[in-house]
Amino acid sequence: MTHHPLTPLMAEEIAAAAACVREQSGLEANAFFETITLDEPDHAQMAAFRNDQVRPTRRAFVCCYERSSNRTLRGVVDLDAGQLLSWEHVPGVQARIVSEEFETGNAIAKADPRVIEALAKRGITDLSTVLIETWAPGNFGHPDEEGKRLAYCHCWVINVAGDNRYGRPIANLHPVMDLQNQEVLRVDDFGVVPLPPDSAAIRPADGLRRDIKPLNIDQPEGPSFEVDGYHVRWQRWNVRIGYNLREGLVLHDIGYEDGDELRPIMHRASMAEMVVPYGDPGGGNYRRNAFDTGEYGLGAALDSLKLGCDCLGHIRYFDVCAHDWDGSPLPIRNAVCMHEEDYGLLWKHTDTYTGQFRAVRSRRLVISSIATIGNYVYGFFWYFYQDGTMGTEIKATGIPFPTAIAVGEDPKYGAVIAPGIASHVHQHSFSFRFEMCVDGAENSVVEQDFEPAPMGPDNPYGNAVAIIERPLVRETEAAREMDLAKSRSWKIVSSSRRNALGKPTAYRLLPGHNTLPTLHPDSPVAKRAGFMFKHFWATQYDPEQLYPAGWYPNQHPGGDGLPTWVQADRALDGEEVVVWYTLNFHHLPRPEDWPVQPIVYASMHWMPEGFFDQNPALDLPPGAITQ
Ligand code: CO
């Protein structure tokens, strides 16, 4: 079967890629496969495919970890020819943690006499009630950790009811695992804290409420989208659904049909990296700083979504395929959900003289997936609107990371959220990556500030506000922070196309809620998460520069990714531009976040600005509320 070049790898392709690497690379038998995913064609190859029907080679990117040599190896497989095109050792890095290491790590830690003794000190002798989770350890410069493949473990007494594995944390006990040699390197024990008294079952104390009536979404003529494979057309939007093991849901070839013309906006959009640094320095808590994308692989952690549960209405699901540590395919059914939502009012005008009004309702297309990583759950939702706006929203839920605390005590860097349970303050930081092509391959970057003018003869009443537009023409000057006083935003403009008013067509990035990092810039975590210190970055397109903390953030000493790349100071004016937007939010968990957290939402949008000549949604038919 011939796939579109951007269609995610199928199960048989993943199996073929793994077999090819095993046969042709000289890989040792017990090596594991960190990543097998589509090696995407670059822009030039896709242009040749679109314009001249030149089909790019179907390729898989493969990364492996070889245990005997403690080496990370990577290469590319030509799936058409069954040939390994390249294979190399990547020195000085560690592959991400894989699922097999979670399973074996738990068993190995529980067999270690030092761990058994530390548990006994806490009165825990039944090891079948203990869960020891292997977390990526970061890099804090401890000499005995240098050069080793490690995990920093967090321990739990598993709730006997079975419905909250994170309700009874064993505070201050952290086995440090040597994952290469499959042994406990040392046990960090910072002292006994009593277990929380409750099991924190996720169920209501007084049964389910009975006053909620059915609410059905009825689409008697079906949905308004058309689907061809992984390609979607909806209300003039065109988008192709993609996937990779690292980022999970990826969107390709985002464009808008304007008359007979399909106008390009973005080649590719994704959430490319994230980090959650915790704000407590005590015990082993400073180790909590999950890079869920690069250290664990969001695409490997996608939920299989169920009708009537995760989504409502006429749902179209898309399957994707992850893989196991041994390279065998692990299909994820219903990994991506697509449906339409009513979104209230889009526009309205009332003629107060005649009493006539026109109003149309807004509908949006939702493409989403949800990743479960241990205690936490992240929903990644992409939205397309009928007025040319598009955007993305994070939905953060699951169980806030708890720690035990003596009843009656208050943590310095967190909050008590249940009897004997504290949760520490932390930040969630997400890096969105957009390969832009607004009305053509060549784009430029403009920053806009609302600049209040000084009072004086030209501004006698102090109301003047100038719109200052500043082209950002090199990468180093395009690393920017938000400015609330100036309502700062950024737009990406076409180098070739003008609208009816003679201005370049453009899309504006609209930041939503955001904050600055609380990490000290010299902290070990900040060095690995340099991307979070600027809200906006722009780089010249380089298909190798996909992940803003670098390809291998696990145990990385820092300095890779965006802050390093922009030192090349490439030109951005009339170039192929990649935009990176950082969305940070603080989180101090509340009692209401326990035992499971209602969703915290954080979003950003792209809005057309002079891309159209007037409101593109004037032609929407009357909705139910129109007269
Ligand atoms: Co949180």
Side-chain angles (χ1 to χ4, degrees), residues 157-222:
V157 169
I158 308 168
N159 174 17
V160 284
D163 61 357
N164 186 356
R165 290 207 296 180
Y166 299 96
R168 305 194 83 195
I170 305 169
N172 279 351
L173 178 59
H174 303 281
V176 183
M177 292 278 306
D178 179 334
L179 294 171
Q180 181 201 0
N181 297 309
Q182 310 253 298
E183 63 190 19
V184 175
L185 178 72
R186 62 168 203 271
V187 177
D188 285 358
D189 188 342
F190 300 97
V192 175
V193 178
L195 281 175
D198 297 331
S199 62
I202 303 177
R203 73 174 79 88
D206 302 319
L208 300 177
R209 63 181 75 176
R210 294 165 185 275
D211 58 350
I212 184 157
K213 305 268 194 320
L215 190 157
N216 295 320
I217 306 296
D218 188 23
Q219 294 180 268
E221 296 174 34

Side-chain angles (χ1 to χ4, degrees), residues 82-135:
Q83 280 263 320
L84 189 60
L85 297 176
S86 63
W87 195 247
E88 58 172 359
H89 167 220
V90 192
V93 304
Q94 282 295 339
R96 71 175 175 89
I97 305 258
V98 301
S99 58
E100 187 250 0
E101 293 175 304
F102 278 101
E103 288 153 29
T104 55
N106 180 42
I108 291 162
K110 279 161 50 171
D112 186 273
R114 292 162 292 177
V115 176
I116 293 169
E117 191 190 322
L119 289 167
K121 245 172 40 181
R122 291 161 168 82
I124 303 161
T125 51
D126 180 359
L127 292 178
S128 71
T129 67
V130 174
L131 170 68
I132 299 182
E133 280 194 331
T134 50
W135 281 47

Side-chain angles (χ1 to χ4, degrees), residues 135-471:
W135 281 47
N139 188 323
F140 293 86
H142 291 230
D144 66 332
E145 298 181 7
E146 197 76 21
K148 298 191 170 73
R149 179 169 179 79
L150 298 174
Y152 199 80
C153 299
H154 299 274
C155 305
W156 317 85
V157 169
I158 308 168
N159 174 17
V160 284
D163 61 357
N164 186 356
R165 290 207 296 180
Y166 299 96
R168 305 194 83 195
I170 305 169
N172 279 351
L173 178 59
H174 303 281
V176 183
M177 292 278 306
D178 179 334
L179 294 171
Q180 181 201 0
N181 297 309
Q182 310 253 298
E183 63 190 19
V184 175
L185 178 72
R186 62 168 203 271
V187 177
D188 285 358
D189 188 342
F190 300 97
V192 175
V193 178
L195 281 175
D198 297 331
S199 62
I202 303 177
R203 73 174 79 88
D206 302 319
L208 300 177
R209 63 181 75 176
R210 294 165 185 275
D211 58 350
I212 184 157
K213 305 268 194 320
L215 190 157
N216 295 320
I217 306 296
D218 188 23
Q219 294 180 268
E221 296 174 34
S224 304
F225 49 70
E226 293 167 34
V227 178
D228 177 14
Y230 286 77
H231 182 262
V232 178
R233 278 183 78 206
W234 177 83
Q235 292 289 290
R236 301 182 184 164
W237 282 103
N238 279 241
V239 57
R240 182 171 287 283
I241 289 168
Y243 163 84
N244 78 36
L245 197 82
R246 179 87 166 242
E247 299 158 288
L249 176 59
V250 175
L251 301 182
H252 298 284
D253 292 349
I254 298 169
Y256 193 92
E257 285 174 31
D258 195 358
D260 295 335
E261 188 189 4
L262 177 58
R263 297 172 64 186
I265 299 168
M266 291 176 195
H267 286 293
R268 190 181 190 279
S270 67
M271 201 292 290
E273 187 56 274
M274 57 174 290
V275 62
V276 188
Y278 278 69
D280 182 81
N285 298 328
Y286 68 99
R287 294 278 185 161
R288 294 176 180 171
N289 46 76
F291 290 67
D292 291 280
T293 312
E295 287 181 337
Y296 302 104
L298 284 177
L302 294 188
D303 290 354
S304 180
L305 304 170
K306 305 286 188 303
L307 270 174
C309 181
D310 295 315
C311 316
L312 201 58
H314 190 110
I315 310 295
R316 175 69 159 80
Y317 287 115
F318 297 84
D319 300 339
V320 301
C321 192
H323 60 83
D324 211 343
W325 66 276
D326 63 356
S328 53
L330 283 178
I332 307 176
R333 277 194 43 76
N334 301 347
V336 178
C337 165
M338 181 173 75
H339 68 294
E340 296 171 281
E341 282 180 358
D342 181 86
Y343 197 58
L345 197 59
L346 180 60
W347 60 262
K348 178 177 179 176
H349 171 69
T350 303
D351 185 324
T352 52
Y353 296 97
T354 64
Q356 288 183 315
F357 71 95
R358 283 192 65 201
V360 299
R361 290 189 75 75
S362 175
R363 195 184 298 188
R364 64 182 184 181
L365 182 72
V366 188
I367 301 173
S368 66
S369 62
I370 296 176
T372 299
I373 307 233
N375 55 307
Y376 226 71
V377 177
Y378 291 103
F380 300 96
F381 286 66
W382 292 85
Y383 296 113
F384 295 86
Y385 300 83
Q386 291 157 309
D387 67 347
T389 300
M390 64 164 282
T392 180
E393 184 166 61
I394 300 287
K395 300 188 183 187
T397 177
I399 300 172
F401 200 103
T403 190
I405 190 168
V407 174
E409 271 184 34
D410 274 315
K412 186 171 179 188
Y413 301 103
V416 172
I417 59 172
I421 291 192
S423 191
H424 292 128
V425 63
H426 55 276
Q427 278 198 307
H428 296 259
S429 180
F430 302 90
S431 177
F432 292 94
R433 181 180 181 280
F434 303 96
E435 293 176 8
M436 305 302 296
C437 53
V438 178
D439 276 327
E442 286 87 36
N443 285 181
S444 298
V445 184
V446 175
E447 177 171 271
Q448 184 191 71
D449 284 345
F450 287 62
E451 189 89 53
M455 277 184 90
D458 292 341
N459 182 24
Y461 308 110
N463 64 317
V465 53
I467 310 302
I468 306 296
E469 291 208 331
R470 201 163 74 88

